Amino acid sequence: MASHAHEHHEPEGPALARAAQGVLEQAGEQWTAMRASVFAALAGFEKPASAYDIADAVSNALGRRIAANSVYRILDLFVGTNLARKVESVNAYVANAHPDCLHDCIFLVCDACGQTTHLDDDRVTNGVRDAAQAAGFVPQRPVIEVRGRCADCVGS
């Protein structure tokens, strides 16, 4: 039986970049300078970032203009290899703080301030998978998003 929730050691900064690089290379992909720049920019955001936000951050860091469509391609690769998660309702991305662990996501998205919290609860996500399978559907990558107000915004 799966655990109800699980904890991760969440590397930060260079340790997170090394973990992401290792996962990407294990997937048979190269960790290029551009991919490293996009990952660093994504990991530097406090809230989910759009491809345009990331392109601007990378452009500023490199001193040359980077097109958002180039960033989208890299983000698609990152989502496919578990280095990033897409917050579908806001069309934005967050770096996966534990890229070596593959699991389904639950995002709590604050409609007031935009803060997004990622939860791991296998009981809930396994229930969603089980319900989909019972309906004859084969789930590939469930993402659950709960919109509302975070504790900071409720208190203000």
Side-chain angles (χ1 to χ4, degrees):
M1 181 167 185
S3 65
H4 293 298
H6 53 270
E7 297 292 323
H8 296 280
H9 171 262
E10 295 188 357
E12 296 177 356
L16 178 57
R18 283 191 303 276
Q21 179 178 356
V23 168
L24 194 64
E25 289 173 347
Q26 283 181 325
E29 297 288 345
Q30 293 182 357
W31 186 255
T32 65
M34 180 58 69
R35 290 174 180 175
S37 295
V38 169
F39 188 81
L42 176 62
F45 282 95
E46 295 280 323
K47 298 177 183 176
S50 72
Y52 293 95
D53 295 333
I54 297 163
D56 287 344
V58 172
S59 296
N60 290 336
L62 298 180
R64 61 185 170 90
R65 188 77 197 131
I66 303 301
N69 60 354
S70 297
V71 171
Y72 270 117
R73 285 192 293 277
I74 293 171
L75 289 170
D76 286 344
L77 173 66
F78 286 176
V79 169
T81 54
N82 201 41
L83 302 185
R85 298 293 190 169
K86 185 174 183 184
V87 183
E88 302 286 344
S89 64
V90 294
N91 194 29
Y93 300 83
V94 294
N96 186 351
H98 37 87
D100 56 341
C101 180
L102 186 60
H103 57 84
D104 300 327
C105 287
I106 302 170
F107 288 116
L108 307 179
V109 182
C110 180
D111 289 326
C113 71
Q115 185 62 43
T116 301
T117 303
H118 170 234
L119 298 177
D120 295 327
D121 189 328
D122 295 330
R123 180 183 48 83
V124 171
T125 57
N126 287 340
V128 169
R129 283 182 172 276
D130 291 346
Q133 289 169 346
F137 187 81
V138 179
Q140 296 297 316
R141 191 179 59 88
V143 176
I144 300 168
E145 296 182 26
V146 180
R147 303 295 301 251
R149 294 181 60 151
C150 69
D152 290 339
C153 290
V154 168
S156 57

